[in-house]
Amino acid sequence: MKKGLRITLIAVGVLLLLVILATLTAAPIAKNYINRHGEELTGRRIQLDELRLNIYSGHIALRRMALYEEDGTTPFVSFDTLDVRFKPLKLLRSEINIKSLILSGLNVRVEQRDTVFNFSSLLARFAGDGSEPDDTAASPWLLSFHNVALRHGQIHYADLGRDSRWDFNDLNLRIPDFTMGGEQAADAGLTLLLGDGGRLSADVRYDIKSNDLAATVDLQHFNLAQIKPYLADIVRLDALEGSLGLHLDAKGNLSRINALVFSGSLALDNLRVTD
């Protein structure tokens, strides 16, 4: 074997070895960086237990991650697993193609006092000063999402000023296909169980090319006592009891919003209002 060819093969072999080693060590390095510098990046402590990365197969997995409140001990947002599979070669053609994105065990805790939320500091940190010019140029990147799912999520909301609390349990969301920058249709479905036994489900079908929209919203056994604290500014009630059911269909084209057609039904069961 000629000396020049031998040197070339050795150089290529060393380069491949370095690439493999970099890939194997990228996940631990990224995980340690997030855990050590999360507060510098977001203003909140971040804890990530496990990160897996394989750029060859296009797979990223984060397990047991939490973003904490300003006190550094109470979780603000946490989840069990975020599993993302993508097509790495599509990046060479300015396309981010997500084959599947599954978020499991999401838990969000939202608190409000007057007009201040427990995430207001995060918004202020990333809001910027507003001095940057608007970028109206179209992005050359195509974003394609397929098989997006949120499984068994929970959202807890508390209005501390009104002493009102809302719990959304077993939150499940599915989006079969969604494209930004292309002409494919978007199809999304949402199902969640309310903390008092109610249920909310929604299905949306939107054609990006034609701008046609079809949506269905179904609310069952919503406890009217949940809205009593918000009526305190206009009426004084001792009790508000009963359940609300709502079914709503919407069809039309978003280019002609005033021509959208709505139809549905509303039902009140066991209504009782006490002065």
Side-chain angles (χ1 to χ4, degrees), residues 193-241:
L193 302 180
L194 307 180
D196 56 4
R199 178 186 179 92
L200 173 65
S201 60
D203 284 285
V204 179
R205 176 71 179 177
Y206 173 59
D207 192 304
I208 299 174
K209 186 176 181 179
S210 65
N211 231 13
D212 288 334
L213 172 72
T216 299
V217 177
D218 193 61
L219 176 64
Q220 300 176 9
H221 307 299
F222 175 75
N223 187 354
L224 292 175
Q226 296 278 4
I227 65 174
K228 178 177 175 291
Y230 298 93
L231 299 177
D233 295 336
I234 57 176
V235 62
R236 289 190 296 178
L237 299 175
D238 178 68
L240 175 61
E241 301 174 2

Side-chain angles (χ1 to χ4, degrees), residues 28-238:
I29 292 175
K31 171 195 164 184
N32 291 333
Y33 185 86
I34 291 172
N35 287 333
R36 292 182 180 180
H37 301 281
E39 192 165 357
E40 299 175 17
L41 298 173
T42 65
R44 305 282 186 93
R45 183 169 77 89
I46 298 177
Q47 179 63 43
L48 174 61
D49 286 354
E50 183 179 350
L51 188 152
R52 295 183 180 181
L53 170 63
N54 189 321
I55 61 174
Y56 305 112
S57 63
H59 182 212
I60 302 174
L62 290 78
R63 305 188 191 283
R64 296 177 296 280
M65 183 172 180
L67 173 66
Y68 288 84
E69 298 278 5
E70 292 182 340
D71 59 13
T73 58
T74 306
F76 165 52
V77 176
S78 63
F79 59 81
D80 294 332
T81 304
L82 174 60
D83 190 284
V84 180
R85 298 181 184 273
F86 62 96
K87 297 180 179 180
L89 293 181
K90 292 285 187 177
L91 297 173
L92 301 177
R93 297 192 298 177
S94 299
E95 179 180 351
I96 299 177
N97 189 298
I98 305 297
K99 295 191 296 183
S100 68
L101 189 156
I102 300 175
L103 179 60
S104 302
L106 175 68
N107 194 306
V108 182
R109 177 179 167 271
V110 178
E111 290 186 349
Q112 176 187 4
R113 187 179 294 277
D114 296 327
T115 60
V116 179
F117 292 85
N118 59 337
F119 54 81
S120 296
S121 61
L122 289 172
L123 297 179
R125 185 180 184 90
F126 296 104
D129 56 10
S131 61
E132 297 182 0
D134 293 334
D135 184 7
T136 57
S139 173
W141 285 85
L142 175 65
L143 307 180
S144 301
F145 297 87
H146 310 279
N147 302 315
V148 177
L150 171 63
R151 297 176 178 172
H152 307 300
Q154 297 184 37
I155 299 178
H156 307 282
Y157 167 74
D159 187 334
L160 302 180
R162 299 178 183 272
D163 192 26
S164 174
R165 298 182 182 274
W166 299 63
D167 294 313
F168 303 92
N169 300 314
D170 201 19
L171 176 62
N172 293 281
L173 170 69
R174 58 171 179 82
I175 303 178
D177 295 286
F178 182 75
T179 301
M180 298 178 62
E183 298 181 347
Q184 297 186 27
D187 186 3
L190 168 69
T191 301
L192 62 91
L193 302 180
L194 307 180
D196 56 4
R199 178 186 179 92
L200 173 65
S201 60
D203 284 285
V204 179
R205 176 71 179 177
Y206 173 59
D207 192 304
I208 299 174
K209 186 176 181 179
S210 65
N211 231 13
D212 288 334
L213 172 72
T216 299
V217 177
D218 193 61
L219 176 64
Q220 300 176 9
H221 307 299
F222 175 75
N223 187 354
L224 292 175
Q226 296 278 4
I227 65 174
K228 178 177 175 291
Y230 298 93
L231 299 177
D233 295 336
I234 57 176
V235 62
R236 289 190 296 178
L237 299 175
D238 178 68

Side-chain angles (χ1 to χ4, degrees), residues 251-253 256-262:
K251 294 183 180 180
N253 190 285
R256 301 182 299 276
I257 296 181
N258 58 343
L260 287 175
V261 178
F262 295 90

